[in-house]
Amino acid sequence: MLLRNILGLIIFIFLPVAVQASVDCSGSRCQYTGGITQLYLSSGGSILAKLDRRYPELISGAQDIGVSGVTQSSAVGVQMFIDGTETEKLKALEFAKYIFNTLLVAKTSGRKVTMQLRSQSNGYMMLDRVWLK
């Protein structure tokens, strides 16, 4: 009985730490795992996903991987419209639609995501991969 109570206490204390959101920057990318609280879509072609809180380590971590100019620590973005050939433009638009739909599923279902971020635009880290948890 005592052992079961001790085990229950250990799980109660450490489980929230194990499922908390996180940002990790190493190699050529930053990675965020956590929730999405809001989605923003502009007519100018920007998609922003608001993270579950501010992550100052996203700004410092971006510098560590060689990405300068990141000023936003509570949201990440995707560009729907890019310069390039017609094929490249269509691929970018299609990719942005898939990303937006994936983020919308995460937001509406309360599921966590893992996103990889490798570049920046207008102060936001830009995501190029996303997984539903």
Side-chain angles (χ1 to χ4, degrees):
M1 181 73 164
L2 179 62
L3 181 59
R4 188 175 66 180
N5 289 341
I6 291 172
L7 244 111
L9 181 62
I10 289 171
I11 291 172
F12 178 76
I13 291 171
F14 290 105
L15 185 61
V17 173
V19 296
Q20 285 181 347
S22 66
V23 169
D24 175 54
C25 297
S26 62
S28 63
R29 54 112 182 115
C30 288
Q31 183 166 297
Y32 166 78
T33 299
I36 301 296
T37 62
Q38 291 179 13
L39 286 173
Y40 169 81
L41 179 62
S42 78
S43 61
S46 294
I47 298 171
L48 295 177
K50 190 169 187 329
L51 309 179
D52 58 5
R53 66 177 178 86
R54 293 188 181 280
Y55 290 90
E57 61 270 32
L58 189 58
I59 295 172
S60 59
Q63 292 173 346
D64 293 344
I65 64 165
V67 177
S68 60
V70 176
T71 58
Q72 303 299 317
S73 64
S74 62
V76 298
V78 175
Q79 275 304 124
M80 290 191 297
F81 307 125
I82 63 165
D83 293 329
T85 67
E86 284 304 310
T87 301
E88 292 169 335
K89 290 178 183 180
L90 288 173
K91 284 175 75 173
L93 181 58
E94 194 69 20
F95 175 74
K97 288 178 189 177
Y98 288 135
I99 292 288
F100 183 80
N101 287 335
T102 302
L103 295 173
L104 187 59
V105 166
K107 168 72 176 96
T108 57
S109 68
R111 291 171 67 183
K112 292 187 184 305
V113 294
T114 294
M115 298 185 282
Q116 288 189 352
L117 318 152
R118 298 174 195 273
S119 62
Q120 77 83 27
S121 179
N122 297 318
Y124 293 95
M125 285 295 286
M126 303 303 283
L127 72 102
D128 63 2
R129 290 168 177 80
V130 64
W131 294 264
L132 276 174
K133 300 298 250 178

